[in-house]
Amino acid sequence: MSERHEAQTDEPPARGGNRALVGKLLLMAGGMFAFGFALVPLYDVFCEVTGFGGRTNTEAAVVIERPDESRTITVEFVATLGGFAPWDFQPAVTTMEVHPGRLYQTHYVARNRTSGQLTGHAVPSVAPGSAARHFQKTECFCFTPQAFLPDEERDMPVVFIIDPNLPRHVDRVTLSYTFFAGQTVAGLTDKNQTEKASR
Amino acid sequence: MPRSLFRRGPGAALATLATLLAPGAALANDWQLNMPVGITDISADVYRLHMTILWICVIIGVIVFSAMIYSIFRHRKSLGVEPAKFSHSTKVEIVWTVIPVFILIGMAIPATETLVRMEDTSGSDLTIKVTGYQWLWEYEYLDEDVRFFSRLHPDSDRARQLGSGIDPFSVENYLLEVDNRMVVPVDAKVRLLLTAGDVIHAWWVPDFAVKKDAIPGFINEVWFQANETGVFRGQCAELCGRDHGFMPIVVEVKSQEDYQAWLAMQRGELGDRPVASTHR
Amino acid sequence: MSTTATHAPAHDDHHNAPTGIVRWLTTTNHKDIGTMYLLFALLMFFVGGAMALIIRLELFQPGLQYVQPEFFNQMTTMHALIMIFGAVMPAFVGLANWMIPLQIGAPDMALPRMNNFSFWILPFAFTLLLSTLFMPGGAPASGWTLYPPLVQQTGDALPFVILAIHLMGISSIMGAINVVVTIMNMRAPGMTLLKMPLFTWTWLITAYLLIAVMPVLAGAVTMLLTDQFFGTTFFHAAGGGDPVMYQHIFWFFGHPEVYIMILPAFGIISEIIPTFARKPLFGYDAMVYATASIAFLSFIVWAHHMFTVGMPLAGQLFFMFATMLIAVPTGVKVFNWTATMWRGAMSFETPMLFAIAFLFLFTIGGFSGLMLSIVPADYQYHDSYFVVAHFHYVLVPGAVFAIMAGVYYWLPKWTGHMYDETLGKIHFWLSVIGVNVTFFPQHFLGLAGMPRRIPDYATQFANFNMMSSIGAFIFGLSQLMFVYIIFKAIRGGAKATAEVWDSPKGLEWTVPSPAPHHTFDEAPQVK
């Protein structure tokens, strides 16, 4: 009879071996559970580096103007309301012709159509994805939540610059804001949202 | 009653099958077996890619299945054969590992070419923003001040209610008709910006080979250039809740003049509405 | 199961073990636990199957005749969750419990008490899951992938579903740990890794996959829970999160999960074909390496489930190429099975029939999988019935047929009786016809433009849907025969010999049939 077999029938040594292996496997499972959560910041970094998913900066960028007059890019501005909220929200202009490397300013107009005070948060997204990290905002209402008085209408400025390193094949860049309204960011999860909207 | 299967008799069914074999056969076909060739250069390329891979699979399938079937019929115990003893052959194993690699490379090259062209949205003629909601679409023509909602046509909507008593076969384009169609000009590169107001939707029109997710908070882009006028139909392709099956897409491709006339009419209609208000 | 051990070993302790329900509640015997897993899987197969029949009943003709769209969506969601986590996975764990110790010459699983615990979690998990059908707002209706934001609209059921998934995950992980420890520490002398039967091999790799990915799923659903109830915004764009990130995390679990459901099937087929071809498995080493490379590749292809979310070109190309590569090891397997049959002396008992059907039909599912990997074409196939046809081809005539093949193959070893061969063959032919009539037309539906997960469809899809529904009822009802055949064999039938088949290879055939309650108390010597 071999040593291995004796280890099995005489229990104790095998037990020890089992315990060590079980420990390692549990560690592996625990590690993978943690890895699932680690994917969150990893994904953010990945998106910011690659512009994956149209991710663009949500904190003010510091840039130097280096205008490239030889290139003209069309910038489109679009607005969407997240959920059905009692707001008006639209860009002041729908398109602009811009040169890369120069700062431009435009604004969106938002109006709280309720008789209560509301806070909204605009989430930016840029298409195409390959342009996202070349589209820098130095000033934007999307950096912070915006509080509105009842029935208040307000212009909300955006100052942006397109990096001259924008890929050559891109001739048109879209800046999209989705305006998530309501007192809480969890407004989306509210099961009654459809009822509220229809009111 | 289930009727279309039996309604026309076997002769008619055979005739329909025959028309299928011609590429670009009638679209609304009860026995449609294959992907539509579509009406854009890209959709034709996608169709060709699909057929190429299909035929490669069929050829490999025929070879492998023939070997299996031959073996099943000839190498059976009831025929009194003695089983062979071999259990490996490095030479053969290398061959059937390497050959598939080359076949795969052969498939990857045209697929990559097509994909690169599909992803190139530059040089577009017009942009339409498409927003998915539970359970309708909104179309916004970016430089034209035209925007409208598009939902399931009332006729279909009545018929599709549980126990409505309305025969779906009596409704024209059942579940594939909307109240307001999206209209685009022919031969123009149309760029779509896709997003959603609540949950994820997906905009799919098979004839354009376009399917892209509309994701709340994010913007996606996709393009198509229709080579023919006509009406083309699709559906939401991402489960979006109760009425996911009831938010069709209908695109009408018109000549440039008809498109301009349509735009003018839309603007006229919109005159008394607050422009560019995002609420419903 | 028989409790009369023919080899009554010296320290046989089960003759004063509890009987009745207490025996099953407290058992630590791998054979008892294996039996419970298999019966549980069979029960869930019928629960999930009943849901599938509700789906196909509603889809029999256009228009809504029987159920509301909300309920239809609950059925598609629950059908998938129950079939995946309740039927296919527990069936494989049951087979592992029964056969791995017998195949490697071990007296039992390494961690018998944990084994009992990991089984008994399951009935609670599934009671919880099924109870959501009766909750306000109903069962989850967002598809088994539980994509946010849609899943956040689930009624009261959401936390219960997530808890049920956690329980299933814990059960799977414990089961997987048990398999790894058993295989690593309990092999009989001389049973080196590269002498292990392929079923054991594929299960070893599957167990590692389970340990690696079930915790990731647990993480993903935990984030859903905190998003819903604790104000986090992992997946809410409004709070800086991203719903697409959920899809990445989910499919990082989901794609290996697909292989968790097919690798043990590969193992079973690799056992059965050599036995009935009376010829050794062709390319054993290549089979092991192919399984390992499929498992490795499963970690780097996840995003092919989500080509339409709008990834950068480079990302799409990477996932396309990686996915296409899977065809190579999978091809090797199919070729090796064919070569095993080649110049053998085959006979066609029910297990072999199911194995051969697996070969043909799994290969068809593999072909449609290859087609799906081509991104431009995938834009047309994605979320259409073509995908439904594809994954049902790999899961039903793939995983489920392999499980049935395995049950017929080992049933005489478990019960000591031969099953009824005639009924087995009828069951086979009804199943194989039913499966093809159900799922083959779905390829056409998808290509013609029918999206998946819809309760009603345009009239041009009527013919193939009707065909598919007829097939589903043939397949579903013929499974009642399976139950009858199994219980008939448990109750009696022709006595099975120890070998059962014609000189099969493997240690499981050296113990008597039925396998005594305790086997290999004296470890066999493997040469």
Side-chain angles (χ1 to χ4, degrees), chain B residues 145 147 264-277 279:
Chain B
D145 258 4
R147 65 193 299 171
M265 205 179 77
Q266 291 295 309
R267 285 198 203 98
E269 272 185 14
L270 283 170
D272 52 339
R273 269 190 14 205
V275 179
S277 158
H279 66 87

Side-chain angles (χ1 to χ4, degrees), chain C residues 390-405:
Chain C
H390 159 72
F391 67 72
H392 280 100
Y393 259 86
V394 291
L395 282 176
V396 184
V400 173
F401 273 21
I403 291 166
M404 288 177 178

Side-chain angles (χ1 to χ4, degrees), chain B residues 30-80:
Chain B
D30 289 355
W31 293 98
Q32 187 179 333
L33 297 171
N34 206 352
M35 185 188 283
V37 181
I39 51 135
T40 69
D41 293 348
I42 292 284
S43 72
D45 280 355
V46 168
Y47 176 83
R48 268 196 297 277
L49 257 180
H50 158 73
M51 290 313 285
T52 313
I53 314 155
L54 179 67
W55 281 115
I56 291 174
C57 289
V58 167
I59 292 164
I60 299 172
V62 166
I63 295 169
V64 176
F65 291 165
S66 313
M68 290 179 193
I69 291 167
Y70 179 85
S71 184
I72 287 167
F73 281 97
R74 299 299 296 273
H75 306 141
R76 44 169 72 206
K77 191 176 169 235
S78 54
L79 296 177

Side-chain angles (χ1 to χ4, degrees), chain C residues 276-290:
Chain C
F276 295 94
R278 294 167 179 79
K279 190 164 153 280
L281 182 70
F282 185 88
Y284 172 94
D285 292 6
M287 288 300 235
V288 172
Y289 298 135

Side-chain angles (χ1 to χ4, degrees), chain B residues 27-244:
Chain B
L27 292 170
N29 190 312
D30 289 355
W31 293 98
Q32 187 179 333
L33 297 171
N34 206 352
M35 185 188 283
V37 181
I39 51 135
T40 69
D41 293 348
I42 292 284
S43 72
D45 280 355
V46 168
Y47 176 83
R48 268 196 297 277
L49 257 180
H50 158 73
M51 290 313 285
T52 313
I53 314 155
L54 179 67
W55 281 115
I56 291 174
C57 289
V58 167
I59 292 164
I60 299 172
V62 166
I63 295 169
V64 176
F65 291 165
S66 313
M68 290 179 193
I69 291 167
Y70 179 85
S71 184
I72 287 167
F73 281 97
R74 299 299 296 273
H75 306 141
R76 44 169 72 206
K77 191 176 169 235
S78 54
L79 296 177
V81 294
E82 272 299 305
K85 296 264 183 289
F86 65 88
S87 67
H88 64 275
S89 157
T90 313
K91 210 183 295 170
V92 176
E93 287 175 76
I94 288 173
V95 168
W96 68 41
T97 309
V98 172
I99 289 179
V101 173
F102 284 105
I103 296 175
L104 290 176
I105 293 172
M107 288 185 194
I109 292 168
T112 306
E113 280 169 5
T114 306
L115 185 61
V116 168
R117 273 189 299 130
M118 288 174 115
E119 290 291 307
D120 179 9
T121 51
S122 63
S124 60
D125 298 308
L126 76 153
T127 304
I128 304 172
K129 176 172 172 264
V130 181
T131 313
Y133 297 98
Q134 286 174 319
W135 293 272
L136 68 163
W137 295 98
E138 184 189 22
Y139 299 103
E140 180 182 352
Y141 289 65
L142 231 48
D143 282 325
E144 309 291 349
D145 258 4
V146 169
R147 65 193 299 171
F148 55 89
F149 291 102
S150 172
R151 50 186 111 204
L152 183 65
H153 194 276
D155 290 347
S156 288
D157 198 44
R158 268 191 299 277
R160 64 107 175 169
Q161 303 299 329
L162 183 63
S164 69
I166 303 171
D167 180 3
F169 289 95
S170 70
V171 180
E172 206 178 343
N173 293 311
Y174 178 61
L175 297 188
L176 291 179
E177 188 56 274
V178 292
D179 52 359
N180 299 308
R181 293 170 171 177
M182 172 176 157
V183 177
V184 296
V186 71
D187 295 329
K189 183 165 182 174
V190 181
R191 180 166 160 269
L192 300 182
L193 294 171
L194 292 152
T195 188
D198 34 46
V199 301
I200 303 175
H201 303 263
W203 198 87
W204 179 26
V205 176
D207 283 298
F208 303 159
V210 165
K211 185 186 287 145
K212 202 72 150 188
D213 288 0
I215 302 165
F218 293 84
I219 195 111
N220 255 332
E221 57 168 12
V222 75
W223 68 275
F224 64 89
Q225 180 164 355
N227 296 334
E228 287 171 30
T229 56
V231 179
F232 304 94
R233 297 167 200 278
Q235 282 178 270
C236 176
E238 177 69 48
L239 179 61
C240 56
R242 189 185 72 210
D243 289 348
H244 162 55

Side-chain angles (χ1 to χ4, degrees), chain C residues 411-412 415-421 488-489 492-497 500-501:
Chain C
L411 196 59
T415 63
H417 302 125
M418 295 307 288
Y419 58 87
D420 187 323
E421 188 64 54
K488 192 176 169 206
K495 287 267 169 268
T497 61
V500 182
W501 312 109

Side-chain angles (χ1 to χ4, degrees), chain C residues 333-397:
Chain C
K333 286 192 158 285
V334 173
F335 298 143
N336 281 7
W337 288 319
T338 312
T340 307
M341 302 197 321
W342 193 255
R343 289 182 53 211
M346 281 187 279
S347 57
F348 301 92
E349 288 84 351
T350 310
M352 183 62 164
L353 289 176
F354 273 105
I356 289 175
F358 172 97
L359 268 192
F360 280 89
L361 301 178
F362 175 78
T363 305
I364 290 176
F367 284 142
S368 54
L370 183 60
M371 294 172 75
L372 280 157
S373 74
I374 308 292
V375 183
D378 178 80
Y379 286 149
Q380 291 281 47
Y381 309 140
H382 179 84
D383 262 337
S384 77
Y385 255 80
F386 190 82
V387 176
V388 177
H390 159 72
F391 67 72
H392 280 100
Y393 259 86
V394 291
L395 282 176
V396 184

